Amino acid sequence: MTKRVQKKFSYLNAKSTVGKSALDVALEQLRITAKKINLDPDIHEMLKHAKRSLVVSIPIKLDNGEVKVFMGCRVQHNGARGPFKGGIRYHPDVTLDEVTALAMWMTWKCAVVNIPYGGAKGGVSCNPKEMSRAELERLTRRYTTALLDVMGPLQDVPAPDVYTDAQVMAWIMDTYSQFKGHKVPECVTGKPIILGGSEGRAEATGRGVFICGREAIKRLGMKIKGVEVAVQGFGNVGWNAARIAYDTGCKIIAVSDSRGGIHCKKGLNPYKVYEHKKKNGSVVTYKGCENITNEELLELECDVLVPAALENQIAKANAGNIKAKIVAEGANGPTTTEADRILYEKEVFSVPDILANAGGVTVSYYEWVQNLNREHWPLEEVNRKLENKMVKSFNDVYETAKKEQSDMRTAALMLGIGRVGKAIKTLGIWP
Ligand code: GLU
């Protein structure tokens, strides 16, 4: 975004979040935005805290007969705008603090794209790469039983996140339904299509990232054809964003996963890399490209950088070395508050997570609506609705940024937090 549009960049006044957690970043964003929109201090105070945080221990019999106990949690941040909504993450680094930040971002995200949900997130601290399918199924079912009292179609609706997928959602749906005595497909989204999942849900987050990147490219007066894209993370989000960009004529010059990255200046075929990763477990052994680290990928010469891995990837130490013109955040929280300021000074056009990756929860919403109405919409209809929703949301944020003379993240937070604040104010604080 140009200096003109970003003149009053509020992160200039940000307190340092170096070395701090995702929750520190989320709270700092809330503090800055609250000040900017003159949020009622009582509502600000409320929004600093999650409405409910449930921590559970999940004992599982491993395949070798041993019992291992995993930490799991579900955080429901704010439900003023509707049922709680948000994914479930399986990752060794899951902590309650991290999940709380992610739940808060879900609250803002649902408000930015204006879908009638509050924000939540769940997580289990485990390493799914070291677990068998049977162990993952037992973990998922046991975790679901621990959530039975707090989840439900009108209460809290989980979905996939890092290292969880449609199969995990199927187990959650089945476990919940077994306890209710009838099938309840609307209790979870991101299910397999055969069980009531929506067409287009699996690729929706990546498609949304692509749409936002494309809109940013247009705003900078660039042409989509031949645009050079580097993607950090080749999971569901990174892979689909890369694939759709490639199909549209972009040049994918680098991708990576947790083991490292590959760089190919002349461009690579993401379909071939995907097949390779499926067979060999990683992109790093793909032939014909130069091997790079995840850190090096972020600093590559390119037009669009898509961080689609984990939090805090672009921080104070490396933000100055980012060469991309556009950053489209596929991951949640990949940029720290200080890095935001540095990117601004470099005039990088950053499309924030709560807008760029909102395509996933948007199609989750469409899935839920279909389930509640016992309908199944064709792919074209889902994609058309998603396209309209993402373009409208992008424009809303862009126009807010212009009007407020702020960056895109500040604008998105202002819109999201503003809407949540208004909902709380209108409801009143009971009793
Ligand atoms: N985990 C995704 C996200 O962070 C999707 C959430 C959902 O569909 O509820 O937005």
Side-chain angles (χ1 to χ4, degrees):
M1 187 166 256
T2 62
K3 276 261 159 62
R4 190 172 44 76
V5 178
Q6 286 192 324
K7 216 158 57 198
K8 280 196 219 147
F9 188 81
S10 38
Y11 288 100
L12 292 176
N13 308 316
K15 288 185 189 151
S16 170
T17 49
V18 174
K20 303 227 176 115
S21 67
L23 185 55
D24 293 317
V25 174
L27 286 170
E28 182 58 5
Q29 291 172 346
L30 172 61
R31 187 188 70 80
I32 292 164
T33 313
K35 215 164 142 189
K36 217 162 151 61
I37 61 173
N38 286 322
L39 186 68
D40 181 330
D42 293 337
I43 293 178
H44 181 193
E45 190 56 31
M46 272 180 79
L47 290 174
K48 282 190 212 165
H49 307 276
K51 182 174 180 201
R52 171 154 47 196
S53 310
L54 178 66
V55 180
V56 295
S57 53
I58 312 164
I60 296 301
K61 201 169 256 177
L62 301 177
D63 292 345
N64 66 9
E66 263 172 49
V67 170
K68 191 165 170 183
V69 182
F70 296 89
M71 186 285 284
C73 61
R74 181 76 181 169
V75 176
Q76 299 171 338
H77 173 251
N78 183 275
R81 303 183 72 259
F84 296 101
K85 189 84 191 78
I88 289 171
R89 158 176 309 204
Y90 288 174
H91 194 277
D93 297 339
V94 161
T95 62
L96 181 62
D97 262 19
E98 182 201 35
V99 174
T100 305
L102 292 162
M104 195 180 283
W105 285 325
M106 284 308 302
T107 306
W108 316 148
K109 191 187 299 184
C110 293
V112 168
V113 289
N114 218 349
I115 52 177
Y117 284 137
K121 201 77 158 203
V124 178
S125 174
C126 65
N127 188 352
K129 288 185 185 163
E130 287 173 359
M131 295 171 71
S132 70
R133 188 184 154 95
E135 288 170 340
L136 279 175
E137 177 172 355
R138 290 197 287 276
L139 178 84
T140 302
R141 289 187 183 276
R142 185 67 190 242
Y143 173 64
T144 307
T145 61
L147 298 189
L148 280 179
D149 288 341
V150 302
M151 68 175 279
L154 301 177
Q155 208 176 343
D156 184 353
V157 186
D161 197 80
V162 174
Y163 295 150
T164 56
D165 57 13
Q167 178 59 70
V168 173
M169 300 307 117
W171 291 325
I172 293 175
M173 197 269 257
D174 187 56
T175 308
Y176 185 87
S177 301
Q178 297 283 354
F179 277 87
K180 296 291 157 188
H182 56 93
K183 283 282 168 288
V184 191
E186 58 273 26
C187 77
V188 65
T189 59
K191 298 176 294 290
I193 288 176
I194 187 83
L195 297 176
S198 177
E199 303 288 341
R201 173 61 186 87
E203 62 174 67
T205 313
R207 182 170 289 282
V209 171
F210 166 75
I211 294 169
C212 285
R214 185 196 66 203
E215 293 304 300
I217 287 166
K218 278 193 215 159
R219 292 307 189 290
L220 292 186
M222 292 155 59
K223 290 252 171 317
I224 188 106
K225 218 165 164 42
V227 154
E228 295 191 343
V229 185
V231 183
Q232 186 204 33
F234 209 54
N236 177 48
V237 180
W239 144 244
N240 279 299
R243 172 179 72 79
I244 296 167
Y246 176 82
D247 290 342
T248 316
C250 299
K251 197 157 120 189
I252 312 302
I253 61 154
V255 297
S256 70
D257 57 35
S258 60
R259 284 174 50 191
I262 49 172
H263 176 216
C264 201
K265 189 73 192 143
K266 62 179 195 311
L268 51 81
N269 179 334
Y271 290 91
K272 288 193 180 150
V273 180
Y274 182 75
E275 282 311 313
H276 180 87
K277 183 175 161 72
K278 242 179 35 194
K279 255 192 239 133
N280 304 285
S282 173
V283 302
V284 292
T285 45
Y286 187 76
K287 292 270 177 309
C289 292
E290 174 201 355
N291 279 103
I292 52 170
T293 63
N294 264 293
E295 293 73 32
E296 285 166 342
L297 182 142
L298 296 172
E299 299 178 10
L300 282 176
E301 203 73 67
C302 64
D303 296 306
V304 184
L305 173 65
V306 179
L310 293 169
E311 299 94 71
N312 293 350
Q313 297 300 299
I314 307 176
K316 191 183 179 190
N318 63 350
N321 303 331
I322 303 288
K323 295 171 196 73
K325 299 182 184 74
I326 294 164
V327 176
E329 296 185 339
N332 291 308
T335 312
T336 67
T337 320
E338 290 199 328
D340 263 329
R341 189 193 66 213
I342 298 167
L343 293 185
Y344 155 71
E345 282 166 355
K346 290 166 60 76
E347 296 196 33
V348 175
F349 190 130
S350 219
V351 190
D353 47 5
I354 56 171
L355 169 64
N357 72 33
V361 73
T362 296
V363 177
S364 273
Y365 167 60
Y366 299 151
E367 179 172 326
W368 182 70
V369 170
Q370 290 172 73
N371 293 157
L372 288 168
N373 292 310
R374 304 290 182 255
E375 286 178 9
H376 189 80
W377 305 344
L379 177 63
E380 300 69 42
E381 188 176 340
V382 173
N383 279 347
R384 182 171 41 78
K385 284 192 157 86
L386 174 64
E387 166 78 24
N388 293 342
K389 179 61 104 180
M390 293 305 297
V391 170
K392 159 124 185 45
S393 305
F394 184 97
N395 286 338
D396 287 350
V397 173
Y398 188 80
E399 290 307 318
T400 306
K402 248 179 28 193
K403 190 164 135 245
E404 300 292 332
Q405 299 187 317
S406 81
D407 65 302
M408 290 285 279
R409 187 184 316 279
T410 304
L413 287 166
M414 287 175 78
L415 263 184
I417 297 173
R419 284 175 182 157
V420 176
K422 258 191 212 134
I424 296 173
K425 194 135 210 146
T426 312
L427 289 166
I429 296 170
W430 187 83

